[in-house]
Amino acid sequence: MNLDELVNSVPEIKLRENLSRWVREWKQDDKDIETLAYLIGKWHGNVWFQDTDSSNKFHSEFQNFKSAAIDNIGGLTLNERLYWFGLFEVWEGGNEITQNRLRSKLRANA
């Protein structure tokens, strides 16, 4: 499950839209993946799902995403990083400055 799928897994429309806004802003700024993990954790800790099972499921899915995409970032290719974080379109449509920003965001500077 990549970042966009994680956002779309939130069953409540208002919560999903709110998280989507946070993620969209992160995709456009210069903050890295550690900040993203912090933002999602903070978001989840400050919202109320109508159903505890849905909240627990989201938490579990987030932990799986974090483990695969963030904690394991050093073992991923640039294309895998772009997939995990839903940034292919930004990369393809971006100029050199945008691509360098994404490399930095995804810790792919080498």
Side-chain angles (χ1 to χ4, degrees):
M1 173 176 294
N2 71 17
L3 180 58
D4 295 331
E5 293 166 338
L6 178 67
V7 170
N8 288 329
S9 75
V10 176
E12 298 173 39
I13 293 171
K14 287 186 179 185
L15 293 180
R16 184 173 54 243
E17 289 172 350
N18 183 258
L19 180 57
S20 179
R21 180 181 51 82
W22 284 49
V23 168
R24 191 172 45 252
E25 289 173 5
W26 174 82
K27 286 182 178 184
Q28 296 171 355
D29 66 26
D30 292 335
K31 296 179 178 101
D32 70 5
I33 57 174
E34 292 298 326
T35 302
L36 174 68
Y38 172 78
L39 289 173
I40 294 174
K42 179 180 175 183
W43 173 85
H44 187 244
N46 287 294
V47 298
W48 295 99
F49 283 70
Q50 291 178 2
D51 176 34
T52 302
D53 289 338
S54 295
S55 180
N56 291 341
K57 182 178 181 203
F58 176 82
H59 177 74
S60 177
E61 290 171 345
F62 171 57
Q63 292 304 313
N64 290 337
F65 168 80
K66 186 177 176 295
S67 176
I70 295 174
D71 298 341
N72 188 39
I73 194 79
L76 301 175
T77 66
L78 177 60
N79 282 342
E80 289 170 326
R81 295 170 199 213
L82 292 170
Y83 164 76
W84 276 108
F85 295 95
L87 292 167
F88 267 118
E89 289 180 18
V90 177
W91 177 269
E92 291 294 322
N95 58 23
E96 185 177 347
I97 293 169
T98 299
Q99 291 177 350
N100 286 336
R101 180 182 62 82
L102 292 177
R103 280 188 192 96
S104 179
K105 176 182 282 296
L106 301 176
R107 297 189 176 167
N109 294 333

